[in-house]
Structure formats: C-alpha cells, structure tokens
C-alpha cells in the first residue's frame, strides 16, 4: 500500500491540520524518536498543481534556516506524495494571539525580529513568500517562530499577480497592488503583509476587515486603518511605513533589519543569515550514524552529503535537531 513505505520509518498519529489539497499528520521518526509533521498530498487531487509541489520540494531543499520549517524526507508512492517536515509543538501563532487578545510591544518585537529574519533569508534565496499570515508562523519547542508556506505560494521574487486568488487565499494580508492584479514585486508585497502581521500581533485584530470581498478590497486599496490607543508612537510610525499603499514608498526589508523600532532593547540588527548552512556536516551525528549502520565515518559522510532527502537525510537532520535541542545524539538500537 501507499503507506507501507512511510510506515517503514515513521509511526503516524492523528491529523493536526488540513488546508487546500494537503493534510498534515503528527508522526514520529522511529530511529531517532523525534516528532515530525507529515504533509500528505494525493496526486489525483493535485492535477495541474503537481509541478508546483515539485517546485515547492526543490525550494525546501534549498532552505536551511533557524526560523524556517525544515524538510527532512520526501516519499513519493504510486498515488501520494509525503513530505516529512519539522514539527512545531506550539502550534500556530494565530491561536497564540487569539489566546492572549494581543501581545505587548516587547513580546511582539521578539517574534517580529524572527519573522523579519526568516523573510530576509527567503528573499535572499530569491523567493517571495506571498502568503505571510499568523497561520503560516508556527511556534517550536523553544517558543521561537518557524515560517512555513502551507499553501505553496512561495515564488521567485519577480512574480506576476496572475495567481491572484489561487494561492493568496486570505486577501486580508494581501498588498493593494497584488489584489488589483497589477504586476508587482513579491518582496514589496511581502513587506505589506508583514505590516499587517505586525498590526495583528500588537492589536489582536486585522487592520482591514470586512465580510464583503469588495468592501475589504476598497479598505485595502485606501490603506486607512484604526490605531488602538495602547500603541506607542514608534509602533504607529513603523506600521505606517510598512503599510504604504504605494509600494515604492514602502519600507524595504533591508531597512527593517536595523529600524529604530526593531532595535529598542537590542544592540545589534536582525541576524538573518542561517545558523545551519546546508553543506555543514556535524561530526557527532555522523559518528552515531556510522556506528548504527556499521559503516566507516568517511562512507557515512559521503552518503549524507548526497542529500537525497531519503531515510539517510531524515536520520541525519533529526539527529542534528536532537543535538540542537539538547537531547542525546542517539539512535534507537533495539530494532
Ligand atoms: C493547529 O496547528 C497545530 C497544532 C499543534 C501543532 C502543530 N504543529 C505543526 N508543525 C508543523 C506543521 C507544518 C510544517 C510545515 C509545513 C509545510 O507545508 N512546509 C512547506 C514550507 O514551509 N515551504 C516553504 C517555507 C518557506 C519558504 C518557502 C517554502 C506544513 C505543516 C504543522 O502544520 C499544521 C498546519 C495546519 C494549517 N495551518 C498551517 C499549519 N503543524 C500545528
């Protein structure tokens, strides 16, 4: 069966989320004991979107960053594609904000610096996310944020507005130029969405909201919104600079990294470079794998360096995640 290949390496538990054409289940990697998120896609439901999934997989293989969800394993069977991804036990930022009504400026700053770090990294890789919203920001076991792109919206930066409604589902976060179907720059549209995100963190509500689609579009293109009384003048200024209707007047990501609001209480700009470069091979993980596979360290190093996103890649990356979370770099020995 399709699940046979998956069940060779993972225990599969209940569904933690669904969306579009994917279902996500909680799983556990048997060899390392680490929890994972398993994104399950039926090929027949993907239809002409299948190439976009392939592009998404290539994009993910190219991303390794402390604030971007990691891809561990790709399993393709006759009728399904399984993506084994980093599991975030804290759930969606969306639910976190709801639970707290809104966040303090200080707590918002900690999270927002992580969001800017992830987006600056994605942009530097030549992609625009295009669907930045609290449902696509997850909380990990260290209470840090991880960016995901659940709806396959990330595209090369210079994207056109053609996939207007297909993948940018929630217009509430979409930039004016994007919902008007104009040709736009992905990086500029992402800055607008980050402005809306910052607003929802600080205010606990959307700056532009309306049940009627047309009324919502009008509010977004007008760009006027209410500032709650608890906002500091610095926060009001930053929001204004990010939610500029004219994309050319909008703040650039580069200006966000050391913006005065971002620097309050910090001595250095946002660090957006990755702390886990793709090519880096960790010695402790290689040694544990070599012992387990009864192979030399050298041949284990070569096998891992092929980055085939198979069981070997998954085992290495999950051992590395264990090490980074302070858990012992050990593989299960009794199977
Ligand atoms: C209720 O939610 C809960 C509750 C408790 C725990 C969790 N934990 C938990 N962990 C991990 C996931 C996950 C990670 C990555 C991807 C993915 O699709 N990656 C692809 C990707 O990120 N590309 C990409 C990224 C950046 C740039 C370019 C491309 C998909 C799912 C998850 O999903 C649940 C969904 C539910 C619907 N909303 C979205 C999240 N949930 C979630």
């Amino acid at each position: 069966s399709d699940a046979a290949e998956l069940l060779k390496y993972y225990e599969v538990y209940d569904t933690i989320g669904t969306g579009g054409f994917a279902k996500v289940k909680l799983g556990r990697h048997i060899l390392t004991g680490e929890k994972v998120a398993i994104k399950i896609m039926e090929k027949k439901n993907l239809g002409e979107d299948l190439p976009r999934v392939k592009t998404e997989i290539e994009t993910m293989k190219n991303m390794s960053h402390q604030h971007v969800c990691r891809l561990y394993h790709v399993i393709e069977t006759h009728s399904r594609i399984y993506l084994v991804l980093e599991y975030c036990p804290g759930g969606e930022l969306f639910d976190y904000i709801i639970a707290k009504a809104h966040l303090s400026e200080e707590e918002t700053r900690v999270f927002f610096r992580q969001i800017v770090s992830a987006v600056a990294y994605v942009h530097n890789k030549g992609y625009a996310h295009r669907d930045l919203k609290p449902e696509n920001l997850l909380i990990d076991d260290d209470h840090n944020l991880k960016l995901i792109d659940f709806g396959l919206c990330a595209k090369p930066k210079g994207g056109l507005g053609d996939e207007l409604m297909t993948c940018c589902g929630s217009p509430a976060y979409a930039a004016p130029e994007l919902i008007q179907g104009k040709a736009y720059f992905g990086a500029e549209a992402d800055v607008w969405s980050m402005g809306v995100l910052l607003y929802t963190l600080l205010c606990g509500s959307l700056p532009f909201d309306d049940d009627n689609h047309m009324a919502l579009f009008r509010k977004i293109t007008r760009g006027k919104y209410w500032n709650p009384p608890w906002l500091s003048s610095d926060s009001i200024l930053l929001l204004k600079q990010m939610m500029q209707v004219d994309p050319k007047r909008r703040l650039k990501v580069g200006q966000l990294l050391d913006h005065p609001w971002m620097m309050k209480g910090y001595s250095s700009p946002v660090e957006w470079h990755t702390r886990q470069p793709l090519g880096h091979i960790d010695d402790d993980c290689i040694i544990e794998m070599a012992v387990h596979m009864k192979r030399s360290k050298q041949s284990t190093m070569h096998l891992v360096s092929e980055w085939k996103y198979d069981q070997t890649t998954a085992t290495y990356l999950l051992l590395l995640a264990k090490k980074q979370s302070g858990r012992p770099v050990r593989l299960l020995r009794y199977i």
Side-chain angles (χ1 to χ4, degrees):
S1 81
D2 281 295
E5 182 64 11
L6 183 74
L7 294 170
K8 259 190 214 163
Y9 309 115
Y10 303 92
E11 288 161 356
V12 181
Y13 307 119
D14 38 359
T15 299
I16 45 179
T18 51
F21 42 77
K23 178 161 48 169
V24 181
K25 286 181 178 275
L26 172 63
R28 185 185 289 277
H29 183 242
I30 295 166
L31 216 44
T32 57
E34 287 292 281
K35 285 182 184 163
V36 292
I38 302 172
K39 190 173 183 178
I40 304 166
M41 290 168 277
E42 298 287 340
K43 285 184 187 171
K44 66 179 183 307
N45 295 351
L46 289 172
E48 76 284 345
D49 278 335
L50 187 59
R52 279 169 58 184
V53 174
K54 301 287 186 180
T55 312
E56 146 96 349
I57 292 166
E58 289 319 304
T59 307
M60 290 297 292
K61 288 180 179 178
N62 203 354
M63 302 265 179
S64 173
H65 189 270
Q66 52 277 14
H67 296 302
V68 176
C69 242
R70 197 72 172 82
L71 173 70
Y72 296 133
H73 197 164
V74 179
I75 298 176
E76 183 166 353
T77 65
H78 172 67
S79 54
R80 284 194 189 142
I81 294 177
Y82 299 101
L83 299 188
V84 181
L85 297 139
E86 181 174 354
Y87 172 69
C88 299
E92 297 175 0
L93 178 61
F94 181 84
D95 298 314
Y96 184 80
I97 302 170
I98 301 248
K100 302 192 80 169
H102 63 82
L103 310 188
S104 67
E105 187 173 317
E106 291 66 34
E107 187 177 13
T108 297
R109 184 171 292 109
V110 174
F111 276 154
F112 198 64
R113 283 174 66 102
Q114 295 178 3
I115 294 168
V116 173
S117 172
V119 174
Y121 173 81
V122 169
H123 285 185
N124 183 261
K125 284 280 180 183
Y127 297 94
H129 189 281
R130 296 157 34 105
D131 197 16
L132 294 168
K133 56 187 178 183
E135 296 88 328
N136 274 336
L137 283 154
L138 304 180
I139 301 170
D140 73 4
D141 50 5
D142 245 353
H143 202 66
N144 290 319
L145 290 186
K146 301 278 180 172
L147 174 66
I148 71 167
D149 172 20
F150 190 71
L152 298 175
C153 287
K155 289 279 168 304
K157 260 201 289 192
L160 296 173
D162 44 347
E163 302 97 25
L164 177 62
M165 290 321 292
T166 46
C167 76
C168 299
S170 49
Y173 294 83
E177 68 272 17
L178 197 151
I179 61 172
Q180 285 166 1
K182 293 177 185 166
Y184 65 93
F185 286 96
E188 294 173 348
D190 278 349
V191 169
W192 172 279
S193 303
M194 282 196 283
V196 177
L197 242 173
L198 180 60
Y199 185 97
T200 52
L201 287 165
L202 289 168
C203 309
S205 61
L206 288 166
F208 314 106
D209 199 2
D210 203 297
D211 296 339
N212 174 292
H213 240 87
M214 281 320 296
L216 175 59
F217 276 20
R218 263 195 308 280
K219 288 180 181 175
I220 293 170
T221 40
R222 198 162 155 263
K224 299 270 175 271
Y225 53 88
W226 175 64
N227 283 312
W230 61 79
L231 289 184
S232 70
S233 49
D234 294 352
S235 298
I236 292 170
L237 176 61
L238 176 58
L239 288 166
K240 187 162 177 273
Q241 292 171 310
M242 297 184 76
M243 290 192 275
Q244 281 291 315
V245 171
D246 175 357
K248 300 306 168 205
R249 295 169 52 90
R250 211 173 286 162
L251 219 55
K252 304 264 177 276
V253 175
Q255 297 166 306
L256 263 174
L257 299 173
D258 60 354
H259 187 281
W261 187 91
M262 300 287 275
M263 296 299 287
K264 266 163 98 175
Y266 287 82
S267 52
S268 56
V270 173
E271 176 45 66
W272 59 270
H273 294 84
T274 181
R275 289 203 291 263
Q276 43 222 355
L278 280 159
H280 170 71
I281 299 284
D282 177 275
D283 234 32
D284 297 333
C285 299
I286 292 295
I287 289 165
E288 177 62 13
M289 287 178 74
V291 167
H292 187 267
M293 295 155 78
K294 297 185 175 52
R295 295 175 71 119
S296 73
K297 189 180 156 192
Q298 189 69 18
S299 76
T300 305
M301 177 98 70
H302 280 301
L303 197 63
V304 167
S305 304
E306 286 175 33
W307 296 111
K308 286 190 283 195
Y309 284 86
D310 55 4
Q311 164 71 340
T312 299
T313 304
T315 303
Y316 171 76
L317 288 176
L318 285 161
L319 266 178
L320 191 61
K322 269 183 115 165
K323 178 172 182 179
Q324 282 161 346
S325 302
R327 289 188 289 278
V329 180
R330 282 280 170 278
L331 293 175
L332 216 60
R333 293 185 188 279
Y334 324 106
I335 47 174

